Amino acid sequence: LAHGFEYKGERVSLVGPQGIFKPKICDYPLSITTVMHGPYADRIDSSGLLSYRYRGEDPNHRDNVGLREAWRRRLPVIYFFAIEKGRYVATYPVIIVGDDPAALTFKAQVDTLSKETPLGVGEYSDDAGSSRRLYLTAQVKVRLHQRAFRERVLRAYREQCAFCRLKHDELLDAAHIIADKEPEGEPVISNGVALCKLHHAAFDSHFIGIRPDCVLQVRHDILVEPDGPMHLYGLKAMHNQHLILPHALAHHPSMARLEQRWQLFLASK
Ligand SMILES: [Zn+2]
């Protein structure tokens, strides 16, 4: 993601140091930012709208006034979701659709159709069905959290497959140790492991398991079958290899999750 652009010979940033950002050359705010796990984490209300906290407590702070003006004029803004320092996932357009001074929040409609449909402000009006809006906004939230999980896991594993060291971003995934539909399947680094596409599929299909001491085990029936080079180098060669781990201990896979997943592997034989 480019963090800025050139305009009349001047470098204009898209993201400001504060949540509501209005570059000097703009009359109205250009972007709003939420920090993941920040004090005012994004919240999607029951009608599917994002609650966006005011800058400070003063409704008349110039940033709040600016965003209110964007709301009145139905001007779209860019929504940045900060995954970690200096890294964002961007969503555009986001339309401010309400102002709640009592709760010190703006209401924003986050829509995923921006890529497929040219921006027509009318399409994002309050008339849009609230179930559709709820669905779209929830989808954006899921996408943001999935992207955040992938970025953080890949970074912790130094952008390589934890089984085979393959380092091509396009071929890497953040695999869940415990599936995200399970209660323990949270999108946290200690529930993730960076794997290449082949090893992600092999891990999910229980062809290869991670023993709780982080030694890889190829399932016996896979180990003994005679097959070609991909089987030999891609699967068989992983047997008894040690999982490549993140440098930070806090990012290592959680023992409880590895144990739980290992039981599933054993049961799959
Ligand atoms: Zn691999």
Side-chain angles (χ1 to χ4, degrees), residues 8-123:
K8 292 183 178 168
E10 252 193 274
R11 181 83 187 149
V12 181
S13 176
L14 292 178
V15 197
Q18 304 294 344
I20 301 170
F21 179 58
K22 184 188 89 62
K24 262 186 295 181
I25 62 151
C26 298
D27 293 328
Y28 305 102
L30 191 58
S31 67
I32 56 177
T33 304
T34 296
V35 177
M36 196 186 184
H37 309 309
Y40 307 119
D42 59 332
R43 205 175 62 79
I44 309 280
D45 70 16
S46 54
S47 62
L49 295 174
L50 172 78
S51 288
Y52 194 79
R53 191 76 164 56
Y54 277 9
R55 167 84 191 272
E57 310 257 300
D58 176 10
N60 294 317
H61 183 284
R62 61 191 160 85
D63 287 353
N64 300 329
V65 170
L67 205 55
R68 198 168 294 123
E69 208 43 42
W71 163 48
R72 292 206 176 104
R73 292 167 185 264
R74 308 201 65 79
L75 297 169
V77 294
I78 310 167
Y79 174 49
F80 286 104
F81 181 75
I83 295 163
E84 53 187 70
K85 205 167 165 37
R87 289 174 73 85
Y88 303 92
V89 178
T91 302
Y92 178 87
V94 169
I95 308 286
I96 307 298
V97 295
D99 179 17
D100 185 354
L104 302 176
T105 53
F106 290 104
K107 299 283 180 194
Q109 187 176 334
V110 180
D111 208 302
T112 53
L113 295 180
S114 50
K115 280 208 177 78
E116 293 79 24
T117 40
L119 174 63
V121 169
E123 292 177 48

Side-chain angles (χ1 to χ4, degrees), residues 46 151 194 199:
S46 54
E151 294 272 331
H199 288 137

Side-chain angles (χ1 to χ4, degrees), residues 33-256:
T33 304
T34 296
V35 177
M36 196 186 184
H37 309 309
Y40 307 119
D42 59 332
R43 205 175 62 79
I44 309 280
D45 70 16
S46 54
S47 62
L49 295 174
L50 172 78
S51 288
Y52 194 79
R53 191 76 164 56
Y54 277 9
R55 167 84 191 272
E57 310 257 300
D58 176 10
N60 294 317
H61 183 284
R62 61 191 160 85
D63 287 353
N64 300 329
V65 170
L67 205 55
R68 198 168 294 123
E69 208 43 42
W71 163 48
R72 292 206 176 104
R73 292 167 185 264
R74 308 201 65 79
L75 297 169
V77 294
I78 310 167
Y79 174 49
F80 286 104
F81 181 75
I83 295 163
E84 53 187 70
K85 205 167 165 37
R87 289 174 73 85
Y88 303 92
V89 178
T91 302
Y92 178 87
V94 169
I95 308 286
I96 307 298
V97 295
D99 179 17
D100 185 354
L104 302 176
T105 53
F106 290 104
K107 299 283 180 194
Q109 187 176 334
V110 180
D111 208 302
T112 53
L113 295 180
S114 50
K115 280 208 177 78
E116 293 79 24
T117 40
L119 174 63
V121 169
E123 292 177 48
Y124 301 95
S125 74
D126 295 332
D127 307 336
S130 112
S131 62
R132 173 180 168 274
R133 191 166 64 210
L134 182 66
Y135 172 70
L136 290 172
T137 311
Q139 256 195 337
V140 167
K141 199 181 177 190
V142 166
R143 185 171 62 84
L144 292 175
H145 283 91
Q146 280 171 346
R147 279 283 304 278
F149 177 65
R150 181 183 187 278
E151 294 272 331
R152 300 173 85 216
V153 168
L154 260 52
R155 179 169 279 211
Y157 282 83
R158 305 178 294 287
E159 274 94 17
Q160 63 187 325
C161 173
F163 286 7
C164 72
R165 295 195 305 275
L166 189 76
K167 287 185 182 66
H168 289 282
D169 188 74
E170 298 88 336
L171 299 180
L172 294 176
D173 289 333
H176 285 81
I177 296 170
I178 300 301
D180 55 4
K181 59 180 193 294
E182 306 292 337
E184 303 85 358
E186 303 144 279
V188 293
I189 297 175
S190 60
N191 186 36
V193 57
L195 293 177
C196 69
K197 301 282 181 192
L198 173 68
H199 288 137
H200 188 183
F203 182 56
D204 281 354
S205 309
H206 301 295
F207 280 25
I208 303 178
I210 305 172
R211 218 163 56 195
D213 61 355
C214 293
V215 173
L216 305 179
Q217 296 289 289
V218 176
R219 203 172 70 199
H220 185 71
D221 59 315
I222 305 292
L223 200 58
V224 296
E225 69 188 4
D227 213 332
M230 183 59 94
H231 175 265
L232 184 63
Y233 296 109
L235 300 175
K236 221 169 148 177
M238 295 302 120
H239 194 58
N240 288 330
Q241 295 290 317
H242 203 279
L243 185 75
I244 295 163
L245 291 167
H247 287 319
L249 204 60
H251 292 163
H252 284 201
S254 89
M255 194 53 87

